[in-house]
Amino acid sequence: MLQLDFLDDLRRMNIRQLFYQVLNFAMIVSSALMIWKGLMVVTGSESPIVVVLSGSMEPAFHRGDLLFLTNYDHEPIRAGEIVVFKVEGRDIPIVHRVMKVHEKDDGSVKFLTKGDNNNVDDRGLYANGQAWLNRKDVVGRARGYVPFIGIVTIIMNDYPKFKVSFDFTRKFYLVGKQ
């Protein structure tokens, strides 16, 4: 029944009101994209903000913490730093601490990571045949965080019904504003 009320509200709008709603939505989306792209340029990271999705880094970071990342090529990776990396074959980046670093004479660097709350290193998470991470695997380094702000993202991923109700409420709010 609520779905029909939503459609009735849309039908009652004149073309100018509907155009105004679409234009407002487009401006919000484009502003968000511009802010995201600007952060990518400033931080040097393809993903300047990430949410911690597991408890593998407790007590340093908890599930739902929002991390701010940088990824400058001129800064060397050192043992003890917390990095976010992507492994071939996995879509979701992983947040873990660098345990060992191997620098070769040719300037290449390889390193091994481990979650603070894990018993073993991350070799089991890396791609088949990969024993160490390379610089190209790094998405960024943790520079700061805001505790538990990202929990909304986790709730929406863990409970799809909540996501659907949130989307419906947001759409209903935008139409009801008129």
Side-chain angles (χ1 to χ4, degrees), residues 46 85-94 96 122-128 130 133 137 139:
E46 69 184 59
F85 61 92
K86 274 182 138 177
V87 176
E88 186 179 317
R90 293 181 184 250
D91 294 332
I92 299 174
I94 300 168
H96 281 172
D122 291 342
R123 287 186 175 138
L125 298 175
Y126 301 161
N128 287 337
Q130 184 178 11
L133 291 176
D137 298 318
V139 174

Side-chain angles (χ1 to χ4, degrees), residues 130-142:
Q130 184 178 11
W132 298 85
L133 291 176
N134 297 310
R135 185 73 169 97
K136 68 175 180 56
D137 298 318
V138 175
V139 174
R141 294 180 231 205

Side-chain angles (χ1 to χ4, degrees), residues 9-24 178:
D9 288 339
L10 277 176
R11 284 188 200 113
R12 276 184 264 169
M13 284 185 184
N14 65 31
I15 193 72
R16 177 181 259 171
Q17 289 173 321
L18 186 61
F19 179 71
Y20 183 71
Q21 287 291 331
V22 170
L23 191 59
N24 274 339
Q178 279 294 325

